[in-house]
Amino acid sequence: MAKYDFDLFVIGAGSGGVRASRVAASHGARVAVAEDRYLGGTCVNVGCIPKKLLVYSSETSGDCADAAGFGWRIGNVEFDWRTLISNKDREIARLNGIYRRLLENSGVRIIEQRATIVDPHTISVGSDRYTTEYVLVATGSWPTVPAVPGAEHAITSNEAFHLEQMPERVIVVGGGYIGVEFAGIFHGLGASVTQLYHGPLFLRGFDHDARRAVADEMIRHGIDLRMNCDVVRIEQLGGGIRAILNDDSTLDADAIMYATGRHPHTSGLGLEDAGVKLDAAGAVMVDRYSQSSVPNIYAIGDCTNRIMLTPVAIAEGRAFAETVFNRNPMSIDYENVPACVFSHPPLAAVGLSEEQALKRYGAIDVYRSSFKPLKHTLSGREERAMMKLIVDSASDRVVGLHMVGPEAGEIIQGFAVAIKCGATKRQFDATIAIHPTAAEEFVTMREKISPA
Ligand code: NDP
């Protein structure tokens, strides 16, 4: 008889937990996964997928405005928030079903309740206890709202996806992925949007030219973007709110959304009592194989606070299952992870920013192109695209690619393979362009600019 009820007990059926469960099961492991909220986790339910659907909707207003330049006469356009949200909910329900079937068809037992760790080999779920050889913590992350007086009046991305009505005036606090994306979503859907960032320029960590380009386009589109600005207090005001800012001015709105980061979702799981070391932010501390300080307990995804991106969690989940259940030690290379902020227009990047490249390599060559996309020569839309390529002068390797412009995510994804393969500028130059595209700029840039 088996020593334990399961070979693997996964806590959290998000992107990473589901991938790990399925791969482990495919190698013959007896797997259970516990989930107390929604199958598919943040990405499927209140993250990447519904966000992208809202982004598509918000881009439609611009497409309608562009149409006239191409000869189309479109009458009055109207937007209905409830239709968008109910269509989005239907799609999410479909995806939840797919996740359920994927797990079931892999032979994974789904336990739709909260699980906590009693000791390294025992898991408690309601009044039941299960024993397991290995535990995988894949509990994700949760929005962080700073302790501003009146913060209880604020919403986060969790609530933004389920609002009864679209707020006509929105304040977005925070200048990271979520803040920038939701500022664009609400603005595109017709709201009047003010975005506040407490530092000099938002999207910290991205290349400075890309950050500036996104800011310029958002301002051009009509978003009230305020840097060095923060909320000191929030008050309820009729059906809306009033935000008192650090310069003593006030802003009234129907909703205030905080997008000020996410923290590892690890409290109350029994991790510390089981001997699992957490860092100051509450993240499970793991080695390169995602193994925690307790040898049979592993952790992957946002709860380890490495890179909070769905594809990274999925890769970590697979690597864990290969390592533990297929005797095939696998770890993730965190260099050159491509990323896209689905702003209007989107920003995508792979590799190093100019600042990071300069620090690492000393001598770099920088190429940059800023242009009006062909489409907007007829649409009349005032919007520019920016593309930038950074080369290590000594090796000629392209070490950073940055783009702000239509389809930036789609374009950078393809080029990320070349960067991962160590492509040189000479190889970029030898690549024939596809004309006319925006992406061709990356293989036709010849003029170096002086590094900033
Ligand atoms: P981010 O860490 O990206 O951004 C948080 C923002 O809030 C930063 O601008 C930060 O400023 C600011 N901030 C932090 N604390 C405070 C505070 N106390 N008061 C005011 N501002 C504050 O987090 P997000 O919430 O935007 O997203 C969480 C994670 O989810 C991201 O890191 C990303 O990995 C992932 N994500 C990825 C997406 C994608 O791939 N497209 C989409 C959405 C999320 P500062 O510059 O000082 O840090």
Side-chain angles (χ1 to χ4, degrees):
M1 207 177 114
K3 188 171 170 198
Y4 299 107
D5 297 329
F6 295 104
D7 300 316
L8 172 65
F9 198 105
V10 179
I11 308 181
S15 308
V18 167
R19 178 58 59 96
S21 302
R22 293 175 57 213
V23 177
S26 76
H27 293 308
R30 296 168 307 133
V31 183
V33 59
E35 171 60 59
D36 67 345
R37 193 163 286 111
Y38 23 54
L39 295 179
T42 300
C43 170
V44 167
N45 294 276
V46 286
C48 324
I49 299 297
K51 179 276 309 288
K52 189 81 186 277
L53 295 174
L54 265 54
V55 166
Y56 283 130
S57 175
S58 67
E59 285 171 349
T60 308
S61 55
D63 294 341
C64 292
D66 290 345
F70 293 97
W72 292 89
R73 207 171 305 137
I74 297 185
N76 273 346
V77 286
E78 265 178 46
F79 167 68
D80 182 45
W81 171 262
R82 278 168 196 252
T83 304
L84 171 64
I85 296 303
S86 75
N87 288 351
K88 179 267 293 178
D89 287 344
R90 198 180 57 232
E91 173 57 12
I92 301 309
R94 191 182 73 85
L95 294 175
N96 295 145
I98 288 177
Y99 269 72
R100 180 180 303 282
R101 282 195 297 283
L102 284 174
L103 287 166
E104 285 170 354
N105 293 345
S106 307
V108 175
R109 165 127 174 239
I110 305 172
I111 300 172
E112 288 180 80
Q113 283 184 74
R114 182 171 170 77
T116 53
I117 297 172
V118 178
D119 65 49
H121 291 285
T122 312
I123 304 290
S124 160
V125 180
S127 54
D128 296 325
R129 294 211 163 186
Y130 299 99
T131 57
T132 180
E133 183 167 11
Y134 290 96
V135 178
L136 178 67
V137 183
T139 47
S141 61
W142 200 251
T144 305
V145 178
V148 177
E152 65 276 12
H153 304 304
I155 61 167
T156 68
S157 50
N158 281 350
E159 294 77 39
F161 288 109
H162 298 106
L163 295 174
E164 285 287 312
Q165 285 178 346
M166 217 231 359
E168 284 175 18
R169 300 162 304 163
V170 187
I171 302 168
V172 176
V173 185
Y177 283 82
I178 299 179
V180 169
E181 291 180 343
F182 268 91
I185 288 170
F186 284 125
H187 178 263
L189 297 179
S192 140
V193 176
T194 304
Q195 185 178 4
L196 312 178
Y197 175 59
H198 61 184
L201 183 59
F202 66 7
L203 291 172
R204 193 167 56 80
F206 285 96
D207 183 88
H208 67 96
D209 281 325
R211 295 159 73 190
R212 191 66 260 166
V214 174
D216 289 347
E217 293 308 321
M218 289 176 73
I219 293 166
R220 204 200 305 270
H221 288 164
I223 291 173
D224 178 6
L225 187 55
R226 304 190 191 182
M227 306 295 176
N228 296 311
C229 192
D230 210 352
V231 173
V232 293
R233 197 168 74 247
I234 303 166
E235 293 170 356
Q236 193 150 26
L237 189 75
I241 60 97
R242 168 164 290 173
I244 293 88
L245 308 184
N246 54 347
D247 62 1
D248 292 330
S249 65
T250 59
L251 264 178
D252 294 349
D254 302 306
I256 180 163
M257 174 174 163
Y258 267 77
T260 43
R262 296 176 64 90
H263 57 272
H265 201 201
T266 53
S267 68
L269 281 177
L271 285 165
E272 280 164 304
D273 288 347
V276 175
K277 286 204 179 104
L278 305 182
D279 72 10
V284 182
M285 294 170 74
V286 289
D287 68 8
R288 58 198 290 254
Y289 296 107
S290 297
Q291 188 175 30
S292 78
S293 51
V294 175
N296 75 311
I297 301 182
Y298 286 69
I300 53 156
D302 285 8
C303 71
T304 61
N305 212 1
R306 286 176 279 188
I307 300 181
M308 285 193 184
L309 294 175
T310 294
V312 172
I314 291 172
E316 289 169 349
R318 169 164 179 253
F320 152 77
E322 284 293 322
T323 302
V324 175
F325 295 102
N326 197 29
R327 295 205 188 99
N328 172 25
M330 254 178 94
S331 60
I332 302 304
D333 177 6
Y334 294 94
E335 288 268 307
N336 294 322
V337 172
C340 180
V341 182
F342 293 94
S343 43
H344 290 342
L347 181 177
V350 58
L352 305 177
S353 66
E354 183 178 332
E355 301 85 331
Q356 292 164 337
L358 206 51
K359 214 168 178 185
R360 188 177 300 185
Y361 296 106
I364 56 170
D365 299 321
V366 180
Y367 301 81
R368 188 180 59 210
S369 170
S370 169
F371 56 96
K372 187 173 199 170
L374 178 63
K375 182 176 178 187
H376 298 318
T377 57
L378 286 203
S379 76
R381 192 196 291 203
E382 287 299 326
E383 189 179 290
R384 296 187 69 76
M386 195 285 301
M387 293 164 79
K388 186 167 173 182
L389 197 148
I390 295 156
V391 179
D392 165 30
S393 309
S395 66
D396 195 43
R397 268 183 46 232
V398 178
V399 294
L401 275 187
H402 308 272
M403 174 171 181
V404 175
E407 308 299 350
E410 306 289 344
I411 292 167
I412 291 291
Q413 178 69 86
F415 278 103
V417 179
I419 303 295
K420 202 77 191 158
C421 295
T424 60
K425 178 70 167 71
R426 219 163 291 125
Q427 289 168 323
F428 269 60
D429 292 346
T431 304
I432 305 291
I434 298 177
H435 184 71
T437 61
E440 68 180 308
E441 288 290 318
F442 277 133
V443 296
T444 56
M445 284 194 235
R446 300 285 186 267
E447 297 291 316
K448 292 179 197 171
I449 60 162
S450 320

